[in-house]
């Protein structure tokens, strides 16, 4: 029997799932990001601390993301646009899911690539047409996966990843968002 190693500790995930069945309060996580305006439409957002498993946690290192608009919008282009970060999050979440599901199902991956495209009519955010929404009109994710599996098995990996993806869920279902001034 060949050992499958996609770099995912599935046993730890399965153990966590079992532990959280008995302690659902520990499954309540609060993810945090702190943004700071730099200049123009450029901002930096840092991520390090979060709450989970009943206590404050933190990543090994703080990660700083730079958001800006491209030069075609008369900006400095010092980072990707905030709406592109949604595509990054979706691609990362779905790809991680594919690796996790493949590991759990004993499927060896050789490569996984995802192309994510979001169609966006910017007349909404510019106030040109109030009937045009501000966000994406649609998003398309295309996977190219090389694995020791049939096409049907690969499609099932992607379907299960989509089913369990927090980012996919947040983008496709209403999420309450509160914005306030301190």
């Amino acid at each position: 029997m060949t050992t499958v190693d996609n770099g995912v500790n599935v046993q730890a995930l399965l153990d966590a799932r079992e532990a959280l069945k008995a302690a659902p309060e520990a499954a309540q996580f609060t993810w945090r990001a702190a943004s700071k305006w730099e200049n123009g439409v450029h901002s930096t957002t840092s991520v390090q601390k979060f709450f989970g498993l009943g206590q404050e946690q933190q990543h090994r290192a703080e990660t700083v993301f730079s958001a800006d608009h491209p030069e075609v919008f008369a900006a400095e282009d010092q980072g990707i646009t905030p709406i592109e970060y949604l595509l990054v999050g979706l691609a990362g979440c779905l790809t991680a899911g594919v690796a996790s599901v493949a590991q759990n199902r004993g499927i060896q991956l050789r490569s996984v690539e995802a192309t994510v495209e979001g169609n966006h009519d910017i007349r909404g955010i510019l106030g040109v047409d109030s009937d045009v929404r501000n966000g994406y009109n649609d998003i398309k994710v295309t996977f190219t996966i090389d694995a020791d599996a049939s096409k049907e098995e690969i499609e099932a990996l992607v379907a299960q990843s989509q089913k369990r993806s927090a980012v996919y869920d947040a983008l496709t279902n209403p999420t309450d968002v509160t914005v306030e001034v301190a």
Side-chain angles (χ1 to χ4, degrees), residues 63-75:
T63 301
V64 178
F65 300 91
S66 192
D68 202 351
H69 291 130
E71 291 177 354
V72 297
F73 291 162

Side-chain angles (χ1 to χ4, degrees), residues 15 20 24 30 35 44 58-59 67 77 93 100 113 130 138 155 158-159 167 182:
D15 292 346
L20 293 174
T30 302
S35 185
T44 54
Q58 69 180 27
H59 294 281
D77 203 2
C93 194
S100 298
E113 295 180 14
S130 61
D138 57 79
E155 288 171 347
V158 172
V167 178

Side-chain angles (χ1 to χ4, degrees), residues 101-113:
V101 174
Q103 184 72 42
N104 191 43
R105 294 184 181 179
I107 297 172
Q108 182 62 55
L109 299 173
R110 284 184 286 282
S111 67
V112 178
E113 295 180 14

Side-chain angles (χ1 to χ4, degrees), residues 79-145:
I80 66 174
T81 63
I83 199 162
E84 287 172 302
Y85 276 111
L86 288 175
L87 302 180
V88 171
L90 182 60
C93 194
L94 289 172
T95 301
V98 166
S100 298
V101 174
Q103 184 72 42
N104 191 43
R105 294 184 181 179
I107 297 172
Q108 182 62 55
L109 299 173
R110 284 184 286 282
S111 67
V112 178
E113 295 180 14
T115 302
V116 186
E117 295 180 345
N119 292 310
H120 185 205
D121 184 339
I122 66 167
R123 293 177 299 160
I125 61 173
L126 293 175
V128 173
D129 186 339
S130 61
D131 292 332
V132 174
R133 67 177 294 190
N134 293 332
Y136 285 118
N137 300 328
D138 57 79
I139 297 173
K140 179 181 179 185
V141 181
T142 305
F143 275 101
T144 303
I145 299 173

